Amino acid sequence: MRTRTALAVAAAAVAVLTAGCSSGGATGGGTPAEPVTLKFLSLAWQKESIAANKEIVAEWNKANPRTQVEYVQGSWDNVNDQLVTSFEGGDPPDVIHDDSPALAGFASRGYLMDLTGKLPAELKSDIPQPAWDTVTFGDGKGGQGVYGVPFLQESQVIIGNKKLLDAAKVRIPTPETPWTWDEFAQISKKLTKGGAFGTAWPLKSPVNKVLNLGLNFGGTFFTVDGTKATVKVGPEEREVLQRIHDQLYKDKSADPSALGMGTADPLPGFYAGKYALLPAGVYLRQQVVEQAPPGFEWITIPPLKGTSSDQGATSQTLSVAADSKYPDQSAAFISYFLGSANQAKLARGDWLLPTSTKAASDPSMTTKENGWDVATASAKNLVVAPYLRVNGFDEWKTKVATPALQQYFANKITLDQVAATLVGEGDKVLERYSK
Amino acid sequence: MTLTAERTRTPPARRTPRTGRQGRETLILMLPALVPVLVFSVGPLLYGVFLAFTDARSGRNAETSFVGLANFGDLLTDGDFWASFRIGMIWAVSVTVLQFAASLGLALLLNENLRFRAFARVLVLVPWAMPPVVIGLMWRLVYHPNAGILNSVLTDLGLLSHDVDWLNDFSVALPAVIVVGVWTGMPQTTVVLLAGLQGVPKELYEAGHMDGASTWRRFWNITLPQLRPVIVTITSLDFVWNINQFGLVYVLTQGGPGGQTRLPMLFAYEEAFRYGFFGYAATLGVAIVIVVLAVLGVYLWRQMREVG
């Protein structure tokens, strides 16, 4: 009797559990007749940029009552861990804001939807091919696809203290006649006097910066053969490493105490005239505008030239999850969100460069004010960063390259040692991914 | 109560038939409690152990196959794992030892007849009331290179000439994190030791006093031996807690700079959720379970021996 009751209870429990599971799996494929809600994970973090994002979403929601978009706030700090969990759990946001280095891994694992053929021709032609290259990846099964729409890009420029530059009577470069690395080194030396340094390299996270600038001398750092990548540190790759190191320890024209800083940390010292030139991403202009003491004059100096001015570019992107139940609506939302007018708004909000050519010709993007003209002009130097094609780059970066480069710039190991580590230990890491 | 009393009276030979029926009843009564344990605790554990023998990776087109002991082989030759394991041991041992020393001092102090003793005892519990993430955020502000209170106090005292970036410096990051670990774990250790101290019979101290033993001798020959079971218990448990610490260090440094504070749990987390090697991460989990079981084994063995 008792046993039977227990069995009945157990059977009922099993029935409830299975029912729970099956109903969870069967609710897919929403009919277009019903209004749908898309989840949009945004990583905007600057105040102006969040406002711009929310404004565009609100406009869309007003114009499209049948496809409502829910704005979900994410953070760059942990977005990729969070996404892996939600992809594996099968309930990712429909529209995902991220950047191209992350997309490469997600695409090969099949988490993202291939957007080929889902985007209007107008959007496709508005964004130049080099930008599309930053979101075109292998699908992990031998094919290729477009896994996001690139919309914001960052180039490396130099922010200069105008008074100090004028006082030293140095040539102020233009995008057509930029400083070469040699010229930059000489000028930094000239500006180093009276306890002040010519420049400061904040290299707390050195890898992307060094790799992006490495292209100035044709340094790609990787050779990719199909799905298998190997690390290479030849004479081209060594140029930028050596030049930064020289400024720190040979010319002594770069402040060594800035080494452990993140990009924005040297700003107080920069305002105080401790260093005259600050290499940084274009977005740092925003903080200078907002925080600089009154009367502080600054200029944006175009990217340096090695054998070329090429810089490795990655993009911020919007993608659609492969598990999204509403792929077409999501693609439509992205196309609207990244139309040229909206891109100009987003670029202003984040102080970055829009990929849209129409947005880049918007008067607000070419004004002399706050160096927008120089920043926007630097977009022509951006080429796809070679490391985007490397499976396992993230692990190489955290486990091998970041500590090795930090030690090199702290003058604890030599250039030959850092090169040997990057290649030797690096190839071991990358091997796991080509299995 | 009655049950145990009855059982002690029943001779062992006649107990067997009773346990049969009683056992089944007990089982049925326990079933509602057992189901959640099996589903939410034993199930995931077994699944984790199973994963450790596969090459499971993240991704929709990843195929999982059984690889036997290959992951364990990789683990033994993985320099990063050993580095992380070494850091984990330094962390767990030093936090446990320092925690114990500091807590014992504090417990002895609070056991004395001080003014505001009750208030002080409540204050000691404060770190316990905070979740690890809040503690991490708070200490990040304390250690902040420009705005942190630590740098400004040390500079004002003339002990520092320039700001130290405590959590990003290769050589001070781990010690800095250990300090936070000690601070966080002190309340429970202090409370347990204080309880133990209060259980030490006063007569022993009186007798010691009569025989002219110094304070130090009384501590060494009375307090410590009397506290021994408590000390063994709390340090073993502290060790297990510390080696499994994740949240605090994740918030403080995320394992940086350059892996200097990458505890084994952080390493496993990165392997799984950053790089997507679920199988290998499960292997790491199993390895840590083995270490913890070894520590607990020593602890249980001692406990059993004392009872025996």
Side-chain angles (χ1 to χ4, degrees), chain A residues 178-408:
Chain A
W179 284 347
T180 62
W181 276 83
D182 291 333
E183 214 174 343
F184 172 58
Q186 284 159 15
I187 289 170
S188 302
K189 265 200 275 189
K190 203 169 165 190
L191 289 163
T192 304
K193 57 186 168 197
F197 287 92
T199 186
W201 285 98
L203 289 174
K204 183 178 166 190
S205 330
V207 180
N208 286 41
K209 202 171 262 179
V210 166
L211 262 54
N212 286 335
L213 290 176
L215 282 179
N216 282 174
F217 294 91
T220 56
F221 284 89
F222 294 98
T223 8
V224 185
D225 174 24
T227 57
K228 197 174 155 45
T230 45
V231 187
K232 121 179 177 336
V233 184
E236 297 92 355
E237 283 77 17
R238 289 175 184 232
E239 283 282 350
V240 166
L241 290 173
Q242 180 74 60
R243 281 166 190 268
I244 296 176
H245 195 270
D246 280 352
Q247 287 200 317
L248 283 160
Y249 300 103
K250 206 172 111 203
D251 302 351
K252 298 199 193 306
S253 59
D255 185 356
S257 73
L259 271 182
M261 295 186 181
T263 308
D265 297 334
L267 283 176
F270 176 66
Y271 303 142
K274 263 175 82 182
Y275 2 86
L277 299 167
L278 189 59
V282 281
Y283 69 90
L284 201 69
R285 293 172 302 140
Q286 187 232 12
Q287 264 153 296
V288 179
V289 170
E290 287 196 346
Q291 301 168 356
F296 184 83
E297 285 181 78
W298 58 282
I299 51 169
T300 308
I301 291 166
L304 299 177
K305 186 167 181 253
T307 47
S308 75
S309 287
D310 283 357
Q311 288 189 1
T314 62
S315 318
Q316 291 190 26
T317 56
L318 290 187
S319 311
V320 180
D323 273 335
S324 169
K325 287 166 203 145
Y326 314 111
D328 296 326
Q329 289 94 326
S330 301
F333 171 68
I334 292 182
S335 311
Y336 172 82
F337 195 85
L338 299 183
S340 56
N342 287 337
Q343 273 209 34
K345 220 182 271 179
L346 292 167
R348 274 198 303 275
D350 260 328
W351 293 69
L352 287 165
L353 313 173
T355 52
S356 152
T357 34
K358 262 186 241 152
S361 59
D362 186 282
S364 68
M365 291 283 121
T366 50
T367 165
K368 277 213 170 333
E369 198 186 338
N370 297 331
W372 273 108
D373 54 341
V374 176
T376 305
S378 69
K380 70 173 191 305
N381 302 122
L382 295 177
V383 297
V384 58
Y387 55 82
L388 283 182
R389 302 269 173 275
V390 176
N391 258 331
F393 169 71
D394 189 30
E395 189 177 346
W396 176 80
K397 175 176 151 183
T398 13
K399 281 199 185 158
V400 182
T402 305
L405 289 178
Q406 280 173 345
Q407 282 173 309
Y408 171 64

Side-chain angles (χ1 to χ4, degrees), chain A residues 8-254:
Chain A
V9 168
V14 169
V16 168
L17 278 175
T18 38
C21 292
S22 61
S23 74
T27 40
T31 43
E34 294 166 26
V36 301
T37 304
L38 306 177
K39 269 192 260 168
F40 166 40
L41 179 73
S42 164
L43 302 178
W45 58 277
Q46 307 214 38
K47 213 171 102 203
E48 299 170 46
S49 158
I50 293 177
N53 268 271
K54 288 193 170 160
E55 191 188 313
I56 302 175
V57 169
E59 282 163 12
W60 164 273
N61 281 340
K62 215 163 145 198
N64 297 275
R66 308 208 70 77
T67 312
Q68 291 294 297
V69 173
E70 184 194 337
Y71 180 94
V72 181
Q73 184 67 57
S75 149
W76 286 107
D77 291 338
N78 52 13
V79 63
N80 292 327
D81 302 352
Q82 187 195 337
L83 283 174
V84 168
T85 344
S86 64
F87 285 137
E88 287 289 330
D91 185 30
D94 300 274
V95 178
I96 298 163
H97 179 189
D98 209 327
D99 60 6
S100 37
L103 294 199
F106 288 153
S108 68
R109 294 187 222 164
Y111 289 147
L112 298 175
M113 195 176 72
D114 181 3
L115 294 174
T116 315
K118 298 231 183 245
L119 301 169
E122 195 194 346
L123 180 69
K124 266 180 10 207
S125 57
D126 190 26
I127 297 174
Q129 193 54 40
W132 287 112
D133 286 344
T134 64
V135 290
T136 310
F137 299 108
D139 59 4
K141 291 179 289 194
Q144 284 262 322
V146 174
Y147 289 97
V149 179
F151 69 106
L152 290 176
Q153 293 189 318
E154 174 188 332
S155 61
Q156 300 290 318
V157 291
I158 296 173
I159 297 176
N161 182 327
K162 190 162 184 300
K163 273 185 196 153
L164 293 180
L165 291 177
D166 286 347
K169 297 200 175 58
V170 300
R171 178 179 81 87
I172 303 297
T174 63
E176 289 73 37
T177 53
W179 284 347
T180 62
W181 276 83
D182 291 333
E183 214 174 343
F184 172 58
Q186 284 159 15
I187 289 170
S188 302
K189 265 200 275 189
K190 203 169 165 190
L191 289 163
T192 304
K193 57 186 168 197
F197 287 92
T199 186
W201 285 98
L203 289 174
K204 183 178 166 190
S205 330
V207 180
N208 286 41
K209 202 171 262 179
V210 166
L211 262 54
N212 286 335
L213 290 176
L215 282 179
N216 282 174
F217 294 91
T220 56
F221 284 89
F222 294 98
T223 8
V224 185
D225 174 24
T227 57
K228 197 174 155 45
T230 45
V231 187
K232 121 179 177 336
V233 184
E236 297 92 355
E237 283 77 17
R238 289 175 184 232
E239 283 282 350
V240 166
L241 290 173
Q242 180 74 60
R243 281 166 190 268
I244 296 176
H245 195 270
D246 280 352
Q247 287 200 317
L248 283 160
Y249 300 103
K250 206 172 111 203
D251 302 351
K252 298 199 193 306
S253 59

Side-chain angles (χ1 to χ4, degrees), chain A residues 2 6 77-78 80-81 84-85 88 107-111 139-141 204 260 265 322-323 394-395 398-399 403 406-407 432-433 435, chain B residues 25 28 31 57-61 74 78 80 146 165 168 170 250 254 257-258 262 267 269-278 280:
Chain A
R2 254 192 310 245
D77 291 338
N78 52 13
N80 292 327
D81 302 352
V84 168
T85 344
E88 287 289 330
S108 68
R109 294 187 222 164
Y111 289 147
D139 59 4
K141 291 179 289 194
K204 183 178 166 190
D265 297 334
D323 273 335
D394 189 30
E395 189 177 346
T398 13
K399 281 199 185 158
Q406 280 173 345
Q407 282 173 309
R432 287 170 97 189
Y433 290 85
K435 270 186 208 163
Chain B
E25 278 171 3
I28 291 171
L31 204 65
R57 289 178 66 163
S58 64
R60 286 154 56 98
N61 35 30
D74 288 347
D78 185 347
D80 288 322
N146 305 321
D165 194 352
N168 283 309
F170 272 68
Y250 183 77
Q254 300 205 314
R262 195 189 283 133
F267 186 72
Y269 175 83
E270 280 183 2
E271 286 294 322
F273 298 107
R274 191 143 183 201
Y275 312 130
F277 296 99
F278 291 150
Y280 190 60

Side-chain angles (χ1 to χ4, degrees), chain B residues 6-77:
Chain B
E6 196 182 24
R7 207 182 325 156
T8 41
R9 263 190 282 122
T10 326
R14 272 185 21 222
R15 213 200 299 170
T16 338
R18 283 186 69 95
T19 3
R21 217 189 73 206
Q22 219 181 6
R24 209 170 53 216
E25 278 171 3
T26 324
L27 202 69
I28 291 171
L29 283 172
M30 274 166 61
L31 204 65
L34 266 179
V35 167
V37 173
L38 288 175
V39 172
F40 296 116
S41 191
V42 178
L45 184 70
L46 290 179
Y47 182 59
V49 173
F50 162 74
L51 273 184
F53 295 95
T54 68
D55 61 353
R57 289 178 66 163
S58 64
R60 286 154 56 98
N61 35 30
E63 279 166 27
T64 304
S65 56
F66 191 73
V67 294
L69 290 171
N71 283 335
F72 289 91
D74 288 347
L75 193 67
L76 291 178
T77 54

Side-chain angles (χ1 to χ4, degrees), chain A residues 411-426:
Chain A
N411 209 16
K412 293 202 175 105
I413 55 175
T414 65
L415 186 55
D416 286 332
Q417 282 170 320
V418 72
T421 310
L422 291 180
V423 175
E425 289 182 25

